[in-house]
Amino acid sequence: MPKQYITEPESLGEITTALRSAGFKILLVFSLLILVVIVIAQPQNVYVASFFGLSWCAISIAGISLPNYREWLAKLWAVLTIPVAPYLVISNGLLPATLVPIATIFPILLLSNGWRVSAMVVLASCTFLVPFYDGDYDEGLWLRLCVTNLVVSLLIYALASQLEKALVESKEKTRELNRALESEKQASAAQSRFLATMSHEIRTPLNGILGLTDVVLSHEISENARPNLEKIQRSGLSLNRILNDILDLSKLNAGKLALETISFDLKTTAKDCVAFYAQLAKNKGISLRINVDKTLNTSVVGDATRLSQVLNNLVSNAIKFTHQGSVTLTLDKGETSSTHQIVRFSVKDTGEGIDASEQERVFEAFTQANSSINRVHGGTGLGLQIVKSLVEAMGGAVSLKSAVGEGSEFYFELPFEVADKVVSTRETNMAPSFSNLTVLVAEDNDINQVVAKSLLEDTGLNVVLANTGKEAVELAQSQPFDLILMDLHMPEMNGSEAALALRQANITIPIIAFTAAVVVEEINKALASGMNGYLTKPVNKPELHAMLIKYLHPDMPTDNSQIAKAVHTE
């Protein structure tokens, strides 16, 4: 029967089986005890008593050894016990009657339904048969024994019934919990598949939009066209950030978001954030400022990508809700030691402010301070939830000070390990230059081929294109390449299969997954197939350049943070 259709009678049956298994083991011990008593006490009907003990012993051994026949053996025990027990009491008086309270446990363990009740009634009533014994006995002791046996038998039956009922309920609840966990696992797997598909299907055309826009902007174009192309680029980046927010929220909820540990410069990260939003602030006529404590050691170890994501969300939110005045990003020095320091981050604006009753809700997913905000300002309502989760993941807690009409301040403190001075790497914004090197790009999307080819050729690389994984394997086996960029989703043979085939053929060319997939399971599968690292689409030029330098010109200085973002292997 399928797991989801298990019913209460089946649970009861399983409990009965478990009790019966334990009952036969206890019966074996009890029957051996009876045999010892017979040897010591020498009752009048020693043969009948011995048969009683030996039959119990034999049945218990059979029950332990033959689990498939336990129900029949239990009924055989009842058939033997029901007539023999009264006979032993009538024949031997008080001695066998004293064992009745112990014996009444066996119908509970071995039998069920009418068999259980019948056996218990017979055993509990045996004590009342002592007056039919021909010998002498103590009447006072007998009366006390009758009351004791009756009370004990009723208590055993009542307690056992309640225990059995509790076990059935517990087993049912366990099954319900297991079904719920299984459903959750299936839902999680379905969500991962959906996210992988959505990511690939959205990022693939987005890579074309951003990549081609970047390629065009990097060349001489009409000054009339440049502002429009830059607007397209900013819109594409905004869409990419929304997609990243959705994916990150999913990872955070699943506990699968991993933090990086790299050396980076806090001041550079903060300035990059302000520079990115400078034009947006200028368009709104507000001032965007940055203040960095001069005593702050800005060379730290941490997750530059996630910190940048937090600051970007807070600064973009502040600009969105500020119509006049300023937005200020501040970095202050907190407690310090020789190896660590606390840094206080603050984003303060002179915008609309948030009512005290709404301040807790703004950190909830898909929530904004009031329903009119989405109509006026837009947004998904994910930004502050992600800020809160990321800050907590990095060891801090985000707080809010705000009043309607007086602006808002979001602030948090994060611990960082102090790093050796980070070398300035502004030159990484310049494309590296290579010569006499060839890169194989395995990509089935023609737009992505154009983007990859243009970006790589801008660095002086020769580019050979393959439309499928199978074609990539054939080309890599027939001519030398210095690097392979491999899409994961391709017809005939996917990227992971192609990488595995190349490694099995002893081809050691560095292979980089060039993919729109950002689900960790897919990336781990790619790395397990023999790939050296991965780049996500849409292509980030600094990350691409860092990857190229790492594998094609390792002596060239580059930005450690970009390498860390681009390469998560080895």
Side-chain angles (χ1 to χ4, degrees):
M1 179 174 287
K3 190 173 182 179
Q4 60 266 34
Y5 296 115
I6 292 176
T7 60
E8 184 173 324
E10 290 178 357
S11 297
L12 182 59
E14 289 182 5
I15 292 170
T16 300
T17 300
L19 289 174
R20 192 171 284 146
S21 175
F24 278 116
K25 294 174 184 177
I26 298 173
L27 181 63
L28 176 61
V29 174
F30 189 66
S31 60
L32 293 174
L33 177 63
I34 290 176
L35 292 174
V36 170
V37 171
I38 291 171
V39 171
I40 295 173
Q42 292 292 316
Q44 294 180 5
N45 298 314
V46 65
Y47 294 111
V48 175
S50 298
F51 170 77
F52 190 75
L54 290 171
S55 63
W56 278 25
C57 187
I59 289 171
S60 60
I61 292 172
I64 295 169
S65 305
L66 304 170
N68 292 334
Y69 296 95
R70 282 174 182 165
E71 183 178 356
W72 296 104
L73 289 167
K75 291 178 179 179
L76 176 61
W77 172 86
V79 169
L80 291 174
T81 301
I82 288 173
V84 173
Y87 174 77
L88 285 175
V89 172
I90 293 172
S91 302
N92 298 280
L94 286 175
L95 178 61
T98 56
L99 298 175
V100 168
I102 302 175
T104 52
I105 194 173
F106 293 113
I108 296 292
L109 295 173
L110 299 177
L111 302 167
S112 60
N113 303 324
W115 286 87
R116 173 184 293 178
V117 175
S118 300
M120 283 208 69
V121 169
V122 170
L123 289 175
S125 303
C126 284
T127 310
F128 296 99
L129 300 177
V130 170
F132 295 98
Y133 171 56
D134 293 335
D136 296 329
Y137 64 93
D138 186 329
E139 290 188 8
L141 177 60
W142 169 66
L143 288 173
R144 290 193 297 274
L145 194 59
C146 286
V147 174
T148 301
N149 286 357
L150 182 61
V151 172
V152 169
S153 297
L154 291 173
L155 284 174
I156 289 175
Y157 184 80
L159 290 172
S161 297
Q162 289 299 315
L163 177 61
E164 194 172 64
K165 181 181 178 181
L167 288 172
V168 170
E169 291 177 354
S170 175
K171 205 165 188 68
E172 282 303 303
K173 289 179 180 178
T174 301
R175 284 211 172 94
E176 288 175 8
L177 179 60
N178 288 336
R179 287 196 292 269
L181 289 173
E182 185 63 29
S183 297
E184 185 176 351
K185 285 181 182 179
Q186 292 175 0
S188 178
Q191 183 187 49
S192 295
R193 290 193 297 271
F194 170 74
L195 288 174
T197 302
M198 182 191 72
S199 173
H200 183 267
E201 294 304 318
I202 295 177
R203 285 175 182 269
T204 297
L206 190 58
N207 181 61
I209 294 170
L210 290 175
L212 291 176
T213 304
D214 200 34
V215 168
V216 174
L217 287 172
S218 66
H219 295 83
E220 291 186 10
I221 59 172
S222 164
E223 288 306 311
N224 292 329
R226 182 173 294 276
N228 291 330
L229 286 171
E230 288 176 344
K231 289 176 183 176
I232 292 172
Q233 186 181 51
R234 284 197 297 272
S235 297
L237 290 172
S238 296
L239 178 59
N240 190 42
R241 278 196 300 275
I242 291 171
L243 178 62
N244 287 337
D245 283 348
I246 294 171
L247 295 171
D248 284 343
L249 183 64
S250 174
K251 291 178 185 177
L252 285 164
N253 290 339
K256 294 182 178 180
L257 187 72
L259 296 176
E260 300 166 343
T261 304
I262 59 171
S263 300
F264 70 100
D265 186 76
L266 284 171
K267 190 173 182 178
T268 300
T269 300
K271 281 187 173 181
D272 286 345
C273 173
V274 170
F276 185 83
Y277 290 102
Q279 186 62 47
L280 180 61
K282 183 179 179 181
N283 293 343
K284 292 191 71 174
I286 61 176
S287 173
L288 179 57
R289 306 166 184 164
I290 179 171
N291 295 324
V292 180
D293 189 338
K294 291 181 179 179
T295 65
L296 177 66
N297 186 342
T298 61
S299 300
V300 298
V301 175
D303 193 325
T305 302
R306 298 306 175 189
L307 176 60
S308 178
Q309 190 175 357
V310 168
L311 296 179
N312 282 336
N313 269 312
L314 291 177
V315 170
S316 65
N317 256 18
I319 294 172
K320 180 191 296 185
F321 295 105
T322 301
H323 305 296
Q324 59 181 2
S326 64
V327 172
T328 305
L329 170 59
T330 303
L331 278 65
D332 286 317
K333 182 180 180 180
E335 295 182 12
T336 62
S337 68
S338 58
T339 58
H340 291 78
Q341 69 176 343
I342 301 294
V343 181
R344 186 182 190 274
F345 299 85
S346 166
V347 176
K348 189 173 184 179
D349 64 62
T350 58
E352 301 172 2
I354 303 171
D355 187 85
S357 62
E358 301 290 344
Q359 290 182 17
E360 288 294 327
R361 293 181 62 248
V362 297
F363 292 106
E364 298 175 6
F366 306 105
T367 300
Q368 294 176 322
N370 61 67
S371 59
S372 66
I373 286 177
N374 186 266
R375 295 195 300 271
V376 177
H377 299 284
T380 61
L382 289 175
L384 291 179
Q385 161 67 15
I386 291 171
V387 165
K388 180 177 182 291
S389 299
L390 288 178
V391 168
E392 290 174 353
M394 291 187 286
V398 64
S399 300
L400 166 63
K401 288 193 297 186
S402 183
V404 175
E406 298 180 10
S408 303
E409 181 184 8
F410 289 86
Y411 59 94
F412 58 93
E413 293 184 345
L414 290 179
F416 290 100
E417 181 183 346
V418 176
D420 295 332
K421 188 171 180 61
V422 179
V423 179
S424 177
T425 54
R426 287 295 177 182
E427 66 271 16
T428 57
N429 289 328
M430 301 293 292
S433 180
F434 304 97
S435 60
N436 300 319
L437 297 176
T438 305
V439 175
L440 172 62
V441 176
E443 170 65 66
D444 63 316
N445 184 281
D446 55 349
I447 296 176
N448 286 338
Q449 286 181 352
V450 173
V451 172
K453 192 171 187 293
S454 299
L455 292 174
L456 293 171
E457 286 180 344
D458 280 348
T459 67
L461 291 168
N462 300 314
V463 180
V464 176
L465 298 174
N467 294 303
T468 67
K470 182 179 180 182
E471 185 181 347
V473 172
E474 293 172 352
L475 285 169
Q477 290 175 328
S478 63
Q479 63 185 92
F481 292 98
D482 299 287
L483 184 68
I484 298 174
L485 296 182
M486 185 84 71
D487 185 30
L488 293 184
H489 295 270
M490 291 184 290
E492 294 187 36
M493 178 184 286
N494 65 40
S496 297
E497 293 169 343
L500 185 60
L502 290 173
R503 295 304 184 225
Q504 290 174 344
N506 296 320
I507 293 176
T508 59
I509 304 168
I511 304 173
I512 306 303
F514 188 52
T515 177
V518 292
V519 178
V520 67
E521 289 81 5
E522 281 206 45
I523 292 172
N524 288 341
K525 181 180 178 182
L527 298 178
S529 70
M531 295 192 186
N532 301 79
Y534 69 90
L535 284 168
T536 58
K537 302 171 188 173
V539 180
N540 179 292
K541 284 178 70 174
E543 291 180 13
L544 173 63
H545 294 162
M547 184 73 78
L548 295 176
I549 291 169
K550 176 178 174 66
Y551 288 102
L552 299 178
H553 200 330
D555 297 329
M556 185 182 296
T558 189
D559 186 344
N560 290 335
S561 66
Q562 297 300 340
I563 290 179
K565 284 188 280 185
V567 187
H568 299 261
T569 65
E570 304 180 338

